[in-house]
Amino acid sequence: MFVDRRLELRVLHSAYNSLRKGEKVNVAVIGPRRIGKTELLLRFKKEAHGVIPYLNLQRIGSLESFIFAYTRELLYELANALDTKVERSELLTWDDLLILSAKLNVDGEVKAIKGGTLETLFEMQESILEKTEQKAVFILDEFQEVLNFKGFLETMRAITEKQEKIAYFISGSAVRMMEEILASKNPFFGQFRRIYLRGLPKEDTIALSKAILERAGTETTHSALELLHRLTQGHPFYVLAVCRRLVEEGFEKIRRKDVHYAFLTELLSEKGDIYAHLEYVFNESLSRAYKGPIHKQILLILAQEEGLRLSEIARRLNKPSGEVSNYLKFLLRTDLITRQDGRYYFTDKLMRFWLAKTYLGITELELRREKLLEELIKELEEKYLRAKQELGIAEEAMVREKLRETLGVDFRPYQRGDVEFDGVAFGDKVYVLEVKWRNRPATRRDIEKFVGKVRSEFGSAVMFFFSKSGFTEKAGESCEKEGVKMLTPKDLEVS
């Protein structure tokens, strides 16, 4: 379901209009699964007029199938734009594409693509668009999948960078992998404007959930809607799932306890949509792990107790630290866990809570027991809401991107041994960034700890400290004394 993303839609339409005027702008839409990336891109496609092919790369198994699917979608959209009637279901083979390409007078180019390589595909598309007098925005969903094809990024960048008739809107759910694709060491650095999708703000969450419930004839209280936002963090898919559950339960007037019950049922019952979503993310993330059972065991250990060091995890697995380190490196790439100050945590606290509880086999019938429900609510508050990770991967990346735009400094995550920083950039000087995304101001102790770590690692550096909730008076004094540049959401226009 599409929810209103006015600002993001404006960015996409602006980029498309720029292409039409001769200025190419590529856009990368990044965020966790089911946050609304595909819906946003498809809404843009629906609203815009022109050649806008769409391809989900999760459905592509090989480079050969990519070349065919890419060509098919390009020709299909061109045919529609040129009023050449064709059904996508009729384009099943290369022969079908050649018949259509002859109608469009681009059969020579398509024959070359059929017998050629990835380079041929990207080279011929500009000629195809030239002959048909069209410009195109190609939407490539789940773009991180191209990492399965050796040399794909280098080839695509080398050939398409100078092309004037096509731009790309890419999206990805593997946030860390997308960040790597767009990093300074890779071909696409500086080639894409980034949009980071997060949960809806409280006002939009309340408006959305209220509209859904009222449409079903269900009354509610403002307090209950505020709780719904707090539990779901504004994730559109979670909001919709909880609202559906509330409607199905047949409550005449929804109160806070009803929201708690509906949310926990969606989360912990096998019939729940949130349960199914988290199970899919969990299994999909581990699907490429050679040592799948051991990776799952590590996650179960962290679900019971977060903040463990490598040595502690290795001891519980009864395996050498070097071996366990390799397992953890894989998990870090999946976005399931993150590492801070040498300790490992779940990136998504809700995933941690779900994993810990579902492996205990809690049933929907048990969720109706008042005492168990109260115990789960209390634990949910402590392990998910209050202990939520200070900053998610997407938000942390968004702060770095804002700083790159405003200061021209390209911060990248930094790790050497047990030393980690949220962002470090090397140039004429060393630049170091610390980010705190929590509901209390940064303290003097936070500043002193950061400064000490920077000086121990680099000696001297230009230091930036971003705090979502500002700084205490003593923290401000410490920043002034140590030369730390203070940043808040207002400075970077983030929320």
Side-chain angles (χ1 to χ4, degrees), residues 244-362:
R244 283 174 176 164
R245 174 69 59 173
L246 288 166
V247 170
E248 291 168 3
E249 289 293 329
F251 298 117
E252 291 185 4
K253 185 171 184 178
I254 294 167
R255 294 177 172 79
R256 288 175 61 87
K257 68 174 184 179
D258 303 321
V259 174
H260 269 131
Y261 167 75
F263 180 76
L264 287 170
T265 301
E266 279 296 310
L267 176 63
L268 302 180
S269 165
E270 291 186 3
K271 296 179 181 178
D273 288 340
I274 300 178
Y275 180 107
H277 167 67
L278 292 176
E279 184 176 47
Y280 170 79
V281 172
F282 181 74
N283 290 328
E284 175 67 19
S285 298
L286 294 180
S287 63
R288 294 174 186 164
Y290 176 65
K291 299 287 186 180
I294 297 178
H295 289 102
K296 188 175 291 187
Q297 194 175 351
I298 291 172
L299 292 170
L300 287 171
I301 290 171
L302 291 175
Q304 297 301 321
E305 183 180 354
E306 280 192 309
L308 296 177
R309 293 187 180 277
L310 168 61
S311 58
E312 295 171 313
I313 298 172
R315 189 160 52 248
R316 298 189 186 196
L317 289 171
N318 194 28
K319 291 185 178 295
S321 293
E323 181 182 343
V324 176
S325 176
N326 290 329
Y327 301 147
L328 288 166
K329 286 176 183 176
F330 169 84
L331 289 172
L332 286 169
R333 284 179 57 83
T334 67
D335 290 343
L336 288 173
I337 65 171
T338 188
R339 187 176 186 236
Q340 293 187 357
D341 297 326
R343 298 181 182 274
Y344 294 88
Y345 303 86
F346 268 85
T347 303
D348 182 355
K349 296 297 179 183
L350 190 59
M351 173 68 80
R352 179 195 174 192
F353 186 81
W354 170 82
L355 189 60
K357 295 305 167 191
T358 53
Y359 271 81
L360 295 178
I362 295 175

Side-chain angles (χ1 to χ4, degrees), residues 133-172:
E133 299 181 339
Q134 298 292 319
K135 291 188 177 182
V137 167
F138 212 121
I139 299 174
L140 295 174
D141 210 348
E142 298 299 344
F143 188 71
Q144 71 275 354
E145 296 297 322
V146 303
L147 295 177
N148 294 324
F149 307 138
K150 186 177 180 180
F152 185 101
L153 297 179
E154 292 80 1
T155 299
M156 182 177 175
R157 162 70 190 276
I159 299 175
T160 65
E161 180 185 11
K162 302 299 183 182
Q163 292 182 344
E164 299 177 351
K165 297 187 175 299
I166 190 162
Y168 290 94
F169 291 174
I170 63 175
S171 79

Side-chain angles (χ1 to χ4, degrees), residues 101-269:
S101 67
K103 294 179 182 178
L104 300 175
N105 196 31
V106 293
D107 48 324
E109 286 79 3
V110 174
K111 285 178 181 177
I113 293 171
K114 178 178 182 292
T117 62
L118 185 66
E119 290 92 333
T120 313
L121 169 67
F122 289 134
E123 287 169 351
M124 290 297 105
Q125 71 178 357
E126 187 81 348
S127 177
I128 289 172
L129 292 168
E130 179 77 38
K131 279 191 173 182
T132 54
E133 299 181 339
Q134 298 292 319
K135 291 188 177 182
V137 167
F138 212 121
I139 299 174
L140 295 174
D141 210 348
E142 298 299 344
F143 188 71
Q144 71 275 354
E145 296 297 322
V146 303
L147 295 177
N148 294 324
F149 307 138
K150 186 177 180 180
F152 185 101
L153 297 179
E154 292 80 1
T155 299
M156 182 177 175
R157 162 70 190 276
I159 299 175
T160 65
E161 180 185 11
K162 302 299 183 182
Q163 292 182 344
E164 299 177 351
K165 297 187 175 299
I166 190 162
Y168 290 94
F169 291 174
I170 63 175
S171 79
S173 299
V175 177
R176 198 181 302 270
M177 293 174 73
M178 288 296 293
E179 280 289 298
E180 290 178 4
I181 287 172
L182 302 175
S184 56
K185 64 181 179 179
N186 286 325
F188 281 156
F189 173 66
Q191 297 295 305
F192 286 81
R193 177 171 183 183
R194 304 178 203 185
I195 297 175
Y196 290 95
L197 286 195
R198 298 175 292 155
L200 301 172
K202 183 194 291 187
E203 297 76 15
D204 289 355
T205 302
I206 290 175
L208 173 64
S209 52
K210 189 175 182 180
I212 295 171
L213 294 170
E214 286 183 349
R215 199 158 52 234
T218 306
E219 293 184 45
T220 187
T221 64
H222 188 74
S223 175
L225 294 177
E226 286 186 322
L227 175 63
L228 194 153
H229 170 74
R230 187 160 176 256
L231 291 171
T232 62
Q233 299 292 301
H235 194 302
F237 180 74
Y238 296 172
V239 172
L240 182 60
V242 174
C243 286
R244 283 174 176 164
R245 174 69 59 173
L246 288 166
V247 170
E248 291 168 3
E249 289 293 329
F251 298 117
E252 291 185 4
K253 185 171 184 178
I254 294 167
R255 294 177 172 79
R256 288 175 61 87
K257 68 174 184 179
D258 303 321
V259 174
H260 269 131
Y261 167 75
F263 180 76
L264 287 170
T265 301
E266 279 296 310
L267 176 63
L268 302 180
S269 165

